[in-house]
Amino acid sequence: MQAIDDYITNLRHLPPAPRVVPELMRLLNQPDVESSKVVKMISFDPALTANVLRICNSAYFGSASPTSDLQEAVTRLGFQQVYQLVAAATGARMLSPAQIGYGLEQGELWKHSVAAAVAAQIIARKTGDNENIVFTAALLHDIGKIVLSQSLNGVYSKLIKETEMNQLSILEAEKKILGVNHAEVGGQLLERWKFPPNIVSAVWFHHTPKGAGAHQRLASLVYLGNMIAFFMGHGYGHVAFALRGRVEVLTTLGIEAEAIPQFMIETFEQMHLVEALFALGG
């Protein structure tokens, strides 16, 4: 764990901490949240404020009269919806840039992450798990890749060779080349950013849910959301062929394999809305 922390500390460029999301998550756990607290928190970030207002006034959410008032927008949309929009907008800011070290063009990592988040949320709705927590963990599951991409820049071909020719998983290939993998780096980064332990653990073990201990269920939801995103084609390059299937996650979640095609259909339908709201890949 110290080695992972040292690796992050020694990097030249780290993404800025998304302070609003963990703070909103803490508010979310309070029984009676005052909307004024939510408004105040969002209002400190002009870009987030503009996004919430734009989406509130979009064709999907818009009422007869558009609003330029953040308090009214939050009231119209509801705290749960606002939280997910803020989380998605924050994720877009971090995950949209091209990640050269992984051979990813602009928008690819973001689109994959959103597909995983939408899929995981749909499953959570069926299994009775907290949708906001699941959505957040799945949205950020690959956050470690924006950190490792710097170190992989120039050795992308080596990563491909390790996964394709040497039959290594993406985690094994990263570990062999860099000494760390994107899942553990992502978990450590979120811990630095003061995200709750369940989110940290789910991201850290999103490829190996059993390792998440008390948070195995959340890690399993993220794992399955990630796999569904790849099944649907919201993946990228050789990585899709370097994943390891883990049937035990279905047992953990009490889900039959036959249910996965339906989850894919619902995710596909929901992604249309997300793409319209956030102009994915544009």
Side-chain angles (χ1 to χ4, degrees), residues 259-280:
I260 290 178
Q262 182 58 37
F263 292 143
M264 291 171 64
I265 291 168
E266 292 180 40
T267 301
F268 179 78
E269 292 170 350
Q270 186 69 19
M271 280 295 289
H272 282 310
L273 167 61
V274 177
E275 287 174 1
L277 292 179
F278 288 94
L280 282 175

Side-chain angles (χ1 to χ4, degrees), residues 95 99 102-117 119 141-142 145 156 170 207 224-243 264 267-268 271 275 280-281:
L95 298 165
Q99 305 299 330
Y102 282 94
L104 301 177
E105 296 180 4
Q106 182 172 339
E108 281 191 292
L109 183 58
W110 160 230
K111 194 164 187 175
H112 165 75
S113 300
V114 172
H141 76 279
D142 272 347
K145 286 184 177 175
Y156 177 57
I170 185 69
H207 282 284
L224 194 53
N226 184 38
M227 293 298 282
I228 286 175
F230 277 111
F231 293 159
M232 292 176 62
H234 293 296
Y236 35 82
H238 70 284
V239 178
F241 302 101
L243 294 172
M264 291 171 64
T267 301
F268 179 78
M271 280 295 289
E275 287 174 1
L280 282 175

Side-chain angles (χ1 to χ4, degrees), residues 16-222:
R19 292 184 177 88
V20 176
V21 176
E23 287 298 323
L24 280 179
M25 289 195 81
R26 278 187 272 278
L27 279 181
L28 196 67
N29 289 327
Q30 297 176 10
D32 297 305
V33 181
E34 293 179 20
S35 62
S36 59
K37 290 183 178 179
V38 178
V39 170
K40 185 177 180 181
M41 200 173 291
I42 296 172
S43 66
F44 286 121
D45 189 320
L48 280 181
T49 298
N51 252 314
V52 170
L53 288 171
R54 178 180 65 81
I55 290 170
C56 179
N57 294 326
S58 69
Y60 183 82
F61 289 111
S63 60
S65 54
T67 182
S68 58
D69 181 79
L70 186 59
Q71 174 71 60
E72 188 178 343
V74 169
T75 303
R76 282 186 191 178
L77 292 171
F79 184 35
Q80 303 284 335
Q81 187 69 61
V82 166
Y83 169 76
Q84 289 194 13
L85 292 176
V86 169
T90 303
R93 193 181 296 175
M94 293 189 293
L95 298 165
S96 289
Q99 305 299 330
I100 306 302
Y102 282 94
L104 301 177
E105 296 180 4
Q106 182 172 339
E108 281 191 292
L109 183 58
W110 160 230
K111 194 164 187 175
H112 165 75
S113 300
V114 172
V118 169
Q121 182 187 26
I122 286 168
I123 299 166
R125 196 173 298 149
K126 297 287 194 299
T127 57
D129 291 276
N130 186 305
E131 292 181 36
N132 285 328
I133 290 174
V134 171
F135 181 88
T136 306
L139 183 73
L140 299 175
H141 76 279
D142 272 347
I143 194 75
K145 286 184 177 175
I146 67 177
V147 177
L148 292 195
S149 182
Q150 299 171 44
S151 301
L152 287 171
N153 197 358
V155 293
Y156 177 57
S157 59
K158 190 174 180 183
L159 188 70
I160 295 174
K161 181 180 177 182
E162 293 295 346
T163 57
E164 293 184 350
M165 294 183 65
N166 297 332
Q167 300 294 301
L168 297 182
S169 71
I170 185 69
L171 294 189
E172 291 165 341
E174 290 168 342
K175 197 84 170 180
K176 184 174 179 180
I177 295 170
L178 302 175
V180 292
N181 66 57
H182 74 273
E184 58 193 10
V185 167
Q188 187 72 17
L189 192 61
L190 293 182
E191 190 172 80
R192 279 188 173 207
W193 288 344
K194 310 298 183 191
F195 274 79
N198 57 346
I199 300 281
V200 170
S201 190
V203 168
W204 199 306
F205 296 101
H206 72 268
H207 282 284
T208 53
K210 274 189 174 180
H215 307 301
Q216 181 179 343
R217 186 173 181 84
L218 179 56
S220 295
L221 284 160
V222 175

